Amino acid sequence: MNPRTPPRAPAITGIVFLLIGLVLAGGGAWLAGLGGSWFYLLAGVGFLVVAALLWMRRGAALSVYALLLLATLAWGLWEAGLDWWPLATRLGMPFVLGIWLLLPWVRRALLPTGAAVSRTRGPGIALAAMLALVLVASIGSWTGDRHRIQGEAPGARTDPAMLEDDVPPGEWHAYGRTPYGQRYSPLGQITPDNLGQLDVAWTFRTGDVRGQPGDPVETTFEVTPLKIGDRLFLCTPHQQVIALDATSGEELWRVDPEIQGDLALQHLTCRGLSYSPGPAAADIPEEAATAAMAATGGAAPSPAARTSSGAPIATAELPSTDSCGARLFMPTADGRLIALSPEDGHVCERFGNGTGQIDLWQNMPNVQPGSYYSTSPVVVTRSLVIVGGTVLDNVSTEEASGVIRAFDLDTGELVWNWDSGNPEDTAPLGPGRTYTPNSPNSWSISSLDEDLGLVYVPMGNQPPDQWGGERTAEVERYSSSVVALDIATGQVRWVFQTVHHDLWDYDVPAQPSLVDLTIDGRRVPALVQPTKQGELFVLDRRTGEPVLPVTETPAPQGAVKGDHTAPSQPLSALSFNPPRLTGADMWGATLIDQMACRIALRRMRYEGRFTPPSLQGSVIYPGNFGVFNWGGVAVDPVRQVVFATPTYLAFTSRLIPREDETTLYVQPEDAPQHGALPNLNENFGAPFAAEMGPFLSPLGIPCHQPPWGYVAAADLTTGEVSWQHRNGTVRDLSPLPLPFRMGVPGIGGPMMTGGGVAFYSGSMDYYIRGYDVTTGEELWRDRLPAGGQATPMTYLGTDGRQYLLVIAGGHGSTGTKTGDYVIAYALPEAR
């Protein structure tokens, strides 16, 4: 061998170190110039020195690298502490490179020809010692979690027998079980002691999966089924309604509403059905009631109604009414509300002037099929059906109205309409008139307190979300608020705004949960409102006044030209608002992409929560994915605690000036032209389009370090968080099926029971999990065949067993595996 020719391994290794050093030094200089950490620049210089020593075959390369590794460890511990995931991204690449340097074909080649091997022994031992120290620190950080809160949730504060509940204990009559939206069941067979014995009792597949022609990306199976009597009722993403035997899972009937027209949708989902036991007896003509009870046969119903074998369902034909007593209400993607009989699925013809349905496009402006419909179950009172709807998000300023309407439960006749763009006039709109275009809407689930005569409506924002320079006073008042409407008249009784002048798509996403709390020895009828920005506002549901303190805190200022920002924003005493991001919170698979995230953070505008969108691009944290979304929270009325599933993801938002009404600025060039749907975030008619998305590293992983998802419990009477633990693994998010409990995002809701357990299936790995409500300990989990982005429910079967029901269908926008599974779990049958 020519002594002047470096052996191949050190030379190649030196080139690798040279490239890494150049990237780190160049990027580090850029970051330091932006006011960020100097570590990357200094580390880059260190890599360049090691590269030179490797090229010269100097054993000192090992000693210098050992010092570099020591500095990296000290820096990592200073920034991240003993928290595994943040520490691993700082030490992982340097550790692997250190192992490579100690391999014989590298270490032994760091010698002049004929020199003794012992000349590299000392540097090699130093480097090996540093690698061992890094490994010990990493192992010591494996269970670390700086954000973990460990305590115990309070026990019972109310006698369960004193709780007023019109729903039988073993049933589930509304999306949140009752109109109170608590997602709590008093059933107590399943406890922390026997939770681990749960097993699959039956599985049903609907046959309805994503991937049909015309399906939008966000086609999702988000339903929470109802359990009424001995039956389960559910809807599928493509709007089929199915009845199952609750104990066996056998299909009893199925109805397909046959969606009309070619719809271009932003979402395609059905979160649930609504149930009414029927109009008050005094409202039903005696002849009709007698005929309905006596009916045993007659004409075939709608052609879409079929048994599981495909045969038409026979039902009674009544000359002046229909045979429906109880009713199911199903909103459809083409803008209808259909009334069905729970008995066999036939259409309730008395509703909707003999058609069994009403057209929700009546009196709507800007009629574009697919741009308006109700993705969430409607509210049913003793005499009314109250309907909101989703309005196409951020396509244009010429969208449908966000009007809330109340229809007669029996006939479907319009009783009142509350339009947030014209809030004082709630009398039914006459022929030829239209509701206010583009007014704030309510796409989520409302709650109901009939004793107080109020329906509680979570409100969204007026498109576009990111620019509000032309919003009216009415829009400013009702956007991103929870509004209490009088059931009888539709008039506003009170309004509480959760975000002022919302520029972040922080619409109120979740159903308010109603619960009676004991505060200073007094019973207070309360409302718990989860929000995307992480607040849980606890209000007196009679007046809207805060039960737990709410303070106005200063907010970042400086919106784009023509707009403004609110000087302050409300902060609740019970808040899952995350800490402000810093450079130390940036993450990545390696030092290099972590550095790239730090540079991106410094280059964009970021001044904490409520940083306004900007032309340069802003970091929005939490992003519009939401700390809480449509799944909401679960509330135990006996213990007066909340079980929550906060998620933390940072997003970016950049405004792009529009020059005309046709150019596509954020959608691909081959996207449909203006007038087709949906060109999301183009904001036709506004001065800016909006480029939005998650804040990701060059490798496509979040720039913000984990944990990204938690489960938590809090005392609703004090606002104190009892415990908070990271939740979920990266098994289904990474190329390798790693089972590490990193704490992953989730969407979907939790559920609690009287047995002291909570259930949640919404995390991005495919598991249903059961927790001890007192401690938060995960006591049981089971693998799902697809993503579980829905809210579980529970009920009692005819065999006397408590069942846990889980939907596994995936979620289009999160990329979880799709499916059509309805899975029931139960404890083993007693022998």
Side-chain angles (χ1 to χ4, degrees):
M1 180 189 302
N2 186 336
R4 295 184 178 181
T5 302
R8 182 173 299 174
I12 294 175
T13 303
I15 292 172
V16 172
F17 271 67
L18 174 66
L19 294 175
I20 293 173
L22 289 174
V23 172
L24 286 176
W30 188 6
L31 178 61
L34 292 171
S37 171
W38 282 73
F39 171 80
Y40 299 91
L41 172 59
L42 298 176
V45 172
F47 269 92
L48 292 175
V49 171
V50 174
L53 293 172
L54 287 171
W55 186 264
M56 293 185 292
R57 299 174 58 203
R58 299 287 181 86
L62 303 183
S63 300
V64 172
Y65 193 72
L67 292 174
L68 178 58
L69 200 59
L70 177 62
T72 303
L73 175 61
W75 167 74
L77 290 173
W78 175 65
E79 281 203 334
L82 288 175
D83 195 344
W84 162 258
W85 293 107
L87 196 61
T89 193
R90 291 162 170 82
L91 300 179
M93 184 180 78
F95 181 82
V96 171
L97 292 173
I99 293 291
W100 174 259
L101 290 178
L102 286 181
L103 294 177
W105 50 83
V106 178
R107 182 173 62 85
R108 291 178 180 177
L110 296 177
L111 298 166
T113 302
V117 175
S118 61
R119 290 182 58 180
T120 62
R121 185 170 297 160
I125 291 173
L127 179 55
M130 278 310 309
L131 289 171
L133 185 59
V134 168
L135 184 61
V136 169
S138 299
I139 294 173
S141 69
W142 178 246
T143 59
D145 182 356
R146 290 176 295 167
H147 305 292
R148 180 185 179 93
I149 300 172
Q150 186 58 60
E152 290 193 356
R157 290 168 165 160
T158 303
D159 183 354
M162 301 297 293
L163 296 176
E164 298 178 4
D165 191 342
D166 294 333
V167 177
E171 301 193 13
W172 195 284
H173 284 195
Y175 178 78
R177 186 176 171 272
T178 74
Y180 274 26
Q182 295 173 346
R183 280 161 289 282
Y184 168 86
S185 169
L187 296 179
Q189 285 186 15
I190 302 171
T191 69
D193 294 332
N194 61 24
L195 182 56
Q197 301 175 38
L198 281 177
D199 200 1
V200 175
W202 55 260
T203 299
F204 174 79
R205 301 193 66 175
T206 69
D208 185 342
V209 294
R210 182 165 62 96
Q212 300 182 25
D215 281 1
V217 170
E218 199 165 322
T219 300
T220 58
F221 195 16
E222 298 175 350
V223 68
T224 297
L226 307 181
K227 197 269 186 176
I228 300 152
D230 299 332
R231 296 183 175 189
L232 294 169
F233 301 96
L234 62 109
C235 52
T236 70
H238 293 91
Q239 321 287 280
Q240 296 180 31
V241 180
I242 302 173
L244 304 177
D245 183 284
T247 305
S248 68
E250 177 187 0
E251 182 175 328
L252 301 176
W253 56 258
R254 178 185 298 235
V255 170
D256 187 344
E258 299 177 353
I259 301 305
Q260 305 297 314
D262 184 16
L263 307 182
L265 300 161
Q266 180 179 356
H267 313 277
L268 183 57
T269 192
C270 176
R271 296 192 180 96
L273 304 166
S274 303
Y275 168 72
S276 169
D283 297 333
I284 303 177
E286 185 176 349
E287 295 176 0
T290 303
M293 289 187 291
T296 56
S302 163
R306 298 287 185 268
T307 65
S308 57
S309 64
I313 300 169
T315 186
E317 182 180 20
L318 300 177
S320 60
T321 180
D322 60 31
S323 58
C324 292
R327 297 180 181 188
L328 298 172
F329 290 96
M330 167 69 187
T332 64
D334 54 5
R336 291 176 289 158
L337 180 65
I338 302 175
L340 302 171
S341 166
E343 182 62 30
D344 50 26
H346 79 266
V347 171
C348 300
E349 294 182 354
R350 182 178 174 87
F351 186 78
N353 294 321
T355 65
Q357 60 186 18
I358 53 177
D359 181 5
L360 298 178
W361 280 106
Q362 291 181 17
N363 300 105
M364 274 289 183
N366 302 321
V367 176
Q368 302 177 79
S371 67
Y372 171 86
Y373 82 105
S374 187
T375 56
S376 297
V378 301
V379 173
V380 176
T381 76
R382 296 185 186 98
S383 59
L384 299 174
V385 182
I386 301 174
V387 185
T390 184
V391 173
L392 201 63
D393 236 358
N394 301 325
V395 172
S396 78
T397 58
E398 298 176 356
E399 301 299 335
S401 176
V403 62
I404 310 298
R405 287 171 285 186
F407 300 93
D408 184 274
L409 180 71
D410 186 32
T411 66
E413 181 181 357
L414 182 64
V415 176
W416 54 256
N417 39 238
W418 180 73
D419 180 352
S420 57
N422 182 25
E424 301 302 323
D425 184 7
T426 63
L429 213 59
R433 297 179 61 196
T434 59
Y435 300 111
T436 307
N438 218 41
S439 56
N441 67 307
S442 179
W443 57 264
S444 192
I445 307 100
S446 296
S447 297
L448 177 70
D449 186 334
E450 289 208 72
D451 291 338
L452 291 177
L454 295 177
V455 59
Y456 303 94
V457 183
M459 295 297 294
N461 212 345
Q462 179 187 66
D465 288 309
Q466 304 82 20
W467 189 81
E470 296 179 355
R471 294 175 185 169
T472 65
E474 291 79 13
V475 167
E476 290 282 35
R477 183 184 183 200
Y478 295 111
S479 288
S480 302
S481 299
V482 56
V483 179
L485 300 179
D486 189 293
I487 293 173
T489 66
Q491 291 287 334
V492 174
R493 292 267 287 271
W494 59 259
V495 56
F496 179 89
Q497 190 163 63
T498 66
V499 180
H500 309 317
H501 195 67
D502 184 3
L503 301 175
W504 306 272
D505 193 16
Y506 283 164
D507 42 7
V508 183
Q511 180 181 29
S513 294
L514 312 184
V515 62
D516 293 344
L517 301 178
T518 304
I519 307 290
D520 297 328
R522 299 180 298 108
R523 173 183 168 276
V524 178
L527 175 151
V528 181
Q529 182 61 69
T531 65
K532 284 187 177 182
Q533 65 271 24
E535 306 304 311
L536 285 181
F537 292 104
V538 182
L539 311 174
D540 188 320
R541 66 178 183 267
R542 297 168 296 188
T543 64
E545 293 298 316
V547 173
L548 295 181
V550 174
T551 56
E552 289 288 332
T553 57
Q557 297 298 292
V560 294
K561 184 178 180 180
D563 204 352
H564 69 279
T565 50
S568 64
Q569 296 290 351
L571 179 69
S572 174
L574 176 49
S575 176
F576 289 91
N577 172 31
R580 177 172 173 167
L581 291 176
T582 67
D585 295 314
M586 295 300 97
W587 200 62
T590 68
L591 281 176
I592 294 173
D593 59 318
Q594 182 195 66
M595 177 184 67
C597 287
R598 291 194 188 220
I599 292 171
L601 179 67
R602 286 280 175 174
R603 293 186 67 199
M604 287 187 283
R605 182 176 179 185
Y606 180 66
E607 299 158 37
R609 192 167 65 154
F610 300 113
T611 298
S614 62
L615 299 178
Q616 74 187 78
S618 298
V619 173
I620 310 299
Y621 183 64
N624 66 338
F625 188 86
V627 178
F628 302 108
N629 209 296
W630 52 262
V633 296
V635 170
D636 183 333
V638 177
R639 303 172 73 155
Q640 301 180 22
V641 300
V642 60
F643 183 95
T645 58
T647 288
Y648 299 106
L649 289 174
F651 274 58
T652 62
S653 179
R654 184 171 72 93
L655 298 180
I656 304 173
R658 296 199 60 85
E659 296 181 0
D660 55 53
E661 297 300 312
T662 59
T663 302
L664 299 179
Y665 288 89
V666 297
Q667 294 296 324
E669 293 183 359
D670 58 352
Q673 295 301 305
H674 181 39
L677 300 173
N679 285 320
L680 301 179
N681 298 322
E682 288 292 349
N683 298 336
F684 297 112
F688 300 96
E691 186 177 66
M692 301 174 63
F695 186 23
L696 300 178
S697 82
L699 297 181
I701 62 178
C703 272
H704 168 228
Q705 69 188 21
W708 303 302
Y710 290 90
V711 289
D715 186 336
L716 288 171
T717 67
T718 65
E720 180 181 356
V721 177
S722 303
W723 52 258
Q724 177 173 290
H725 306 156
R726 59 187 176 187
N727 184 69
T729 71
V730 293
R731 172 170 176 171
D732 299 300
L733 295 174
S734 62
L736 298 176
L738 303 175
F740 305 138
R741 191 166 62 92
M742 180 183 285
V744 298
I747 190 167
M751 181 265 293
M752 302 171 76
T753 76
V757 295
F759 296 96
Y760 180 58
S761 64
S763 59
M764 296 300 141
D765 56 353
Y766 309 155
Y767 287 99
I768 171 67
R769 290 178 167 88
Y771 311 86
D772 184 332
V773 171
T774 300
T775 65
E777 181 183 358
E778 181 187 311
L779 299 176
W780 169 81
R781 69 178 179 182
D782 192 57
R783 185 75 173 156
L784 298 175
Q789 283 70 58
T791 303
M793 52 85 74
T794 188
Y795 61 89
L796 208 62
T798 55
D799 57 1
R801 289 193 296 169
Q802 181 182 350
Y803 286 79
L804 165 69
L805 197 74
V806 181
I807 300 297
H811 194 285
S813 63
T814 63
T816 51
K817 182 180 177 181
T818 60
D820 61 343
Y821 298 87
V822 182
I823 305 172
Y825 294 85
L827 296 172
E829 293 188 80
R831 296 184 182 274

